[in-house]
Amino acid sequence: SQEQIYLSHSQKALLEYRLGYLSEPPNVDFLEVEPDNPSKEEVRKNMIDRMSGKVTIETFVRSQPDERYVDLVNRTYIFGPMNSTIFSLGLVLPEYRQKRIEVENIDIPTGRDYLQTQRSALFIAPWNFCENVRTNSSHADFLQDILEMLSGYDFPDECDEAKLKHLLLDTVVTERLAEFWNNKAVDFKSDGIVATFVSTEGGITRVFPESECLDFVDKRDTWQQTFFRRSLDNDYFIYSVPYNADHQDWPVNYTIM
């Protein structure tokens, strides 16, 4: 019988997301959870034959986590045998995020002030920035807890300094956008733009005007938003139409671009 190719850690995590906790690695072929094409079939065959290689494949990918959109993108497949085992290891890498930002110096008081901006609504992703800050609290409480952690001139030992530096950097940089939006408010209204926003890798989401922020309260976790993850794979405009499960008659054509 033909040898089976087991799921990678990321695909196992996807099944855990769909089905709940899995105590054992699932016996599922990776071509059963990815769109199939001849190039992937060749990769699968080479892995079974314990060969090594690297190939970039144009493939369809489903948006995560909702799987409501499909994009045609490039993915790099790297694979090779694992010594002293019967297995081969395969990695799938996107073209984006090949480099990362390392923030060396950031002024904590300035960043803290911009976290309390009045130019736009500001949300922070509910991530584990500090050990004793509850991620499941309301946004107002979460923001207040983060501000307390940043009350001094040094980062607390119980916090992830790299994460907080990236958060503050994004806060300072996007403050300039908030100023631009305020200057363009009349033009936005005449062009039929209800709201404009920015979401960042470091966990900041800004929304203008502040009166439209309620739609973004449950979109604070930037990496879990379809529009954010799809934008990484595309160099052009993307459109995200809200999912109308109840087939309601909405008063406006609400579309995220």
Side-chain angles (χ1 to χ4, degrees):
S1 62
Q2 193 173 35
E3 187 177 346
Q4 191 79 304
I5 301 296
Y6 288 93
L7 289 175
S8 66
H9 174 76
S10 61
Q11 293 293 352
K12 180 176 180 291
L14 177 59
L15 283 185
E16 287 179 349
Y17 171 81
R18 293 175 180 167
L19 307 176
Y21 177 74
L22 300 174
S23 59
E24 296 293 337
N27 186 11
V28 180
D29 194 297
F30 92 91
L31 291 184
E32 294 178 6
V33 292
E34 285 198 11
D36 195 358
N37 65 35
S39 297
K40 290 184 184 179
E41 292 176 0
E42 183 67 20
V43 169
R44 181 185 185 279
K45 180 180 182 300
N46 290 338
M47 292 181 70
I48 292 174
D49 293 338
R50 299 182 59 78
M51 298 175 61
S52 299
K54 175 182 177 181
V55 59
T56 298
I57 300 174
E58 188 177 55
T59 178
F60 288 104
V61 295
R62 291 183 289 265
S63 63
Q64 299 297 329
D66 58 19
E67 296 191 333
R68 294 175 185 154
Y69 303 90
V70 175
D71 291 295
L72 185 62
V73 303
N74 288 328
R75 290 287 186 263
T76 298
Y77 290 73
I78 305 172
F79 55 91
M82 299 174 64
N83 295 334
S84 304
T85 74
I86 63 172
F87 297 103
S88 289
L89 175 66
L91 299 176
V92 184
L93 303 177
E95 290 189 325
Y96 61 82
R97 211 167 182 259
Q98 296 182 3
K99 299 180 180 179
R100 65 188 180 93
I101 296 176
E102 289 188 5
V103 184
E104 294 294 333
N105 298 304
I106 190 74
D107 185 68
I108 295 178
T110 299
R112 185 177 62 242
D113 290 343
Y114 284 160
L115 282 173
Q116 304 173 81
T117 181
Q118 300 298 317
R119 294 177 184 272
S120 62
L122 183 145
F123 297 103
I124 300 176
W127 298 341
N128 293 316
F129 291 100
C130 301
E131 292 177 1
N132 55 347
V133 174
R134 294 182 297 111
T135 58
N136 60 350
S137 60
S138 69
H139 176 259
D141 291 340
F142 187 74
L143 174 60
Q144 187 59 41
D145 289 341
I146 293 295
L147 289 173
E148 290 180 5
M149 288 293 155
L150 297 173
S151 58
Y153 290 89
D154 298 307
F155 293 101
D157 293 337
E158 63 268 31
C159 296
D160 188 320
E161 183 174 335
K163 280 186 178 180
L164 282 179
K165 283 183 174 179
H166 201 164
L167 179 78
L168 293 182
L169 174 66
D170 289 359
T171 303
V172 172
V173 171
T174 57
E175 174 68 14
R176 301 170 188 172
L177 268 179
E179 181 179 358
F180 172 78
W181 292 337
N182 276 271
N183 294 334
K184 289 290 185 179
V186 175
D187 293 337
F188 288 158
K189 187 173 182 179
S190 62
D191 291 338
I193 298 174
V194 176
T196 184
F197 70 97
V198 60
S199 295
T200 73
E201 182 179 307
I204 288 293
T205 297
R206 287 186 182 272
V207 184
F208 179 85
E210 190 172 358
S211 58
E212 299 295 331
C213 72
L214 292 180
D215 289 327
F216 291 84
V217 172
D218 60 350
K219 298 181 175 64
R220 291 184 292 152
D221 192 338
T222 54
W223 278 96
Q224 292 301 313
Q225 304 312 312
T226 297
F227 60 78
F228 181 82
R229 297 175 71 163
R230 289 184 67 210
S231 68
L232 298 175
D233 264 319
N234 294 281
D235 294 328
Y236 45 85
F237 288 113
I238 63 167
Y239 296 86
S240 295
V241 180
Y243 183 60
N244 190 355
D246 300 326
H247 303 288
Q248 300 176 8
D249 293 329
W250 289 343
V252 296
N253 181 15
Y254 180 78
T255 301
I256 293 177
M257 181 180 73

